[in-house]
Amino acid sequence: MTSSSTVIKSCLDILRRLDPAETEKHLENLTKLISNDDISDELYQRVDVPLKVLKDVNADDRKFLACDHNRDGDSHRSPWSNSYFPQLQDGFCPSEHLRQLELHANEVFDIYREILYFGKSTSVSSVYLWDKEATNNGANSDGTVGFSGAFLIQNKVDNGSYWNSIHVVDVGRIERGSMCQYKLTTTILISVSPSDSELGTESTTRITGSLVRQNDRECKISSQDSSRIGSQHIINIGKFIEDVETEMRKEMDSLYIQKTKNVVDMIRKDNMKPTQGQEHTRVLNEAVLAMAMNRKTKLSGK
């Protein structure tokens, strides 16, 4: 019998060789071939797919992002009302203390999204927090033990282009009086299909890819008031995410955008004849010139 690790590795190898723009469809097809639900769930956790936007009917149709971090079965939890859609009884929810921190984090991150994308309605953000397994008994009521969370942002435009940033953070225990360790795993999913405004046609060029980076940072918790420790965590995480995402934006610009632009500029230049024809013409001109010079030399020698 094939081990679960072998199955996961094989599926990941297949996905690396397929079009990243169709990752979600390929992932769904692969899970249909796997008879083990545990392996399928692990595969979904290992593969990042473009975020989906849902509406919370219990919070004035406010939009939220659906991903594996707020999924329970086939339902997704909204950070605004704490309800599952489709409706699910006894779905996973954070502890009361962490739920209040989650609401605060969503409001703060929503402001960050508005500043980042100038308030565009095409962008959506969501934050999901969950207790660590060792703290499910309520020992984390003051926020000193630590927790985990996912900070998500999506910006999508009409032509199918999108930017998805998925930040999964692990917040450690506060040690040495005021120091806390943060471990951040950031995944950027990008798909760009520039339009050709001059020709009025859809572009046949699409840039699709992903970038994953892991970073650690130790930050100081300046407040000793247990009621404000959660807010201090949000400040530290927010600065950490902003620094990492800014650096990854620069990296993706050089990795995808600039390299693709250089290739396109080399093969598609306005009013340029085929390179092969230009080279052929150059060789002929040089040959004719050489023959003329040779003939001139012979005539002058007579």
Side-chain angles (χ1 to χ4, degrees):
M1 183 177 180
T2 307
S3 64
S4 60
S5 60
T6 302
V7 174
I8 294 294
K9 183 177 182 298
S10 299
C11 290
L12 293 176
D13 287 341
I14 292 173
L15 290 171
R16 290 190 188 100
R17 290 163 172 79
L18 298 175
D19 183 3
E22 302 290 339
T23 298
E24 188 173 8
K25 182 181 72 174
H26 299 321
L27 182 60
E28 182 179 353
N29 291 334
L30 284 173
T31 55
K32 290 179 180 179
L33 301 175
I34 302 174
S35 58
N36 190 312
D37 292 338
D38 292 336
I39 297 178
S40 296
D41 288 340
E42 183 179 351
L43 184 60
Y44 271 110
Q45 294 174 7
R46 296 281 295 274
V47 179
D48 290 301
V49 298
L51 301 169
K52 292 184 177 180
V53 178
L54 301 179
K55 289 185 178 181
D56 187 346
V57 296
N58 297 330
D60 299 325
D61 286 339
R62 197 164 185 178
K63 295 179 180 179
F64 67 96
L65 295 172
C67 66
D68 190 68
H69 302 290
N70 67 323
R71 180 176 65 89
D72 193 339
D74 294 327
S75 301
H76 291 85
R77 182 174 66 89
S78 166
W80 306 116
S81 67
N82 210 27
S83 304
Y84 274 89
F85 301 92
Q87 187 176 0
L88 178 68
Q89 297 294 333
D90 300 326
F92 171 81
C93 293
S95 61
E96 181 59 31
H97 167 78
L98 209 57
R99 172 60 185 156
Q100 295 303 315
L101 183 60
E102 182 181 75
L103 286 171
H104 184 35
N106 271 280
E107 295 294 345
V108 172
F109 213 57
D110 194 49
I111 296 173
Y112 170 71
R113 173 197 61 80
E114 289 184 355
I115 296 174
L116 188 64
Y117 293 107
F118 306 101
K120 291 182 179 179
S121 59
T122 56
S123 60
V124 183
S125 67
S126 293
V127 177
Y128 303 102
L129 304 181
W130 58 90
D131 300 273
K132 293 183 178 180
E133 293 183 3
T135 63
N136 284 341
N137 58 3
N140 196 29
S141 59
D142 59 355
T144 59
V145 175
F147 57 91
S148 298
F151 294 70
L152 318 171
I153 289 184
Q154 181 197 75
N155 186 42
K156 191 172 184 179
V157 293
D158 294 336
N159 66 352
S161 301
Y162 61 79
W163 171 283
N164 288 180
S165 56
I166 304 170
H167 306 274
V168 180
V169 62
D170 179 83
V171 181
R173 180 188 297 270
I174 298 177
E175 298 178 345
R176 303 195 304 277
S178 60
M179 300 306 295
C180 183
Q181 185 76 18
Y182 299 89
K183 297 180 180 180
L184 181 66
T185 300
T186 298
T187 302
I188 302 295
L189 305 175
I190 183 174
S191 181
V192 180
S193 182
S195 59
D196 195 332
S197 57
E198 294 183 359
L199 297 178
T201 59
E202 293 185 0
S203 173
T204 57
T205 302
R206 175 175 288 273
I207 305 171
T208 304
S210 63
L211 190 64
V212 181
R213 291 291 181 268
Q214 292 181 326
N215 294 273
D216 294 344
R217 178 179 291 185
E218 191 174 57
C219 299
K220 185 176 181 180
I221 303 296
S222 57
S223 176
Q224 299 300 320
D225 185 355
S226 60
S227 63
R228 300 187 61 185
I229 289 178
S231 297
Q232 190 66 54
H233 280 313
I234 294 177
I235 294 173
N236 293 339
I237 294 171
K239 292 179 179 178
F240 196 5
I241 287 176
E242 185 176 19
D243 292 343
V244 170
E245 185 165 326
T246 299
E247 190 63 32
M248 291 180 70
R249 281 175 180 268
K250 296 178 182 177
E251 189 174 350
M252 293 197 79
D253 179 64
S254 60
L255 181 64
Y256 289 110
I257 310 300
Q258 294 302 325
K259 285 189 176 181
T260 302
K261 183 178 183 298
N262 291 339
V263 172
V264 172
D265 286 344
M266 291 176 63
I267 62 177
R268 295 182 181 177
K269 288 188 178 293
D270 294 338
N271 302 321
M272 176 179 282
K273 296 180 180 179
T275 304
Q276 185 177 0
Q278 284 191 331
E279 180 66 17
H280 181 64
T281 302
R282 185 186 64 81
V283 173
L284 287 177
N285 289 336
E286 290 179 354
V288 171
L289 182 60
M291 290 177 64
M293 293 297 293
N294 186 40
R295 184 177 180 181
K296 183 177 180 181
T297 301
K298 288 182 178 180
L299 289 175
S300 60
K302 293 180 180 180

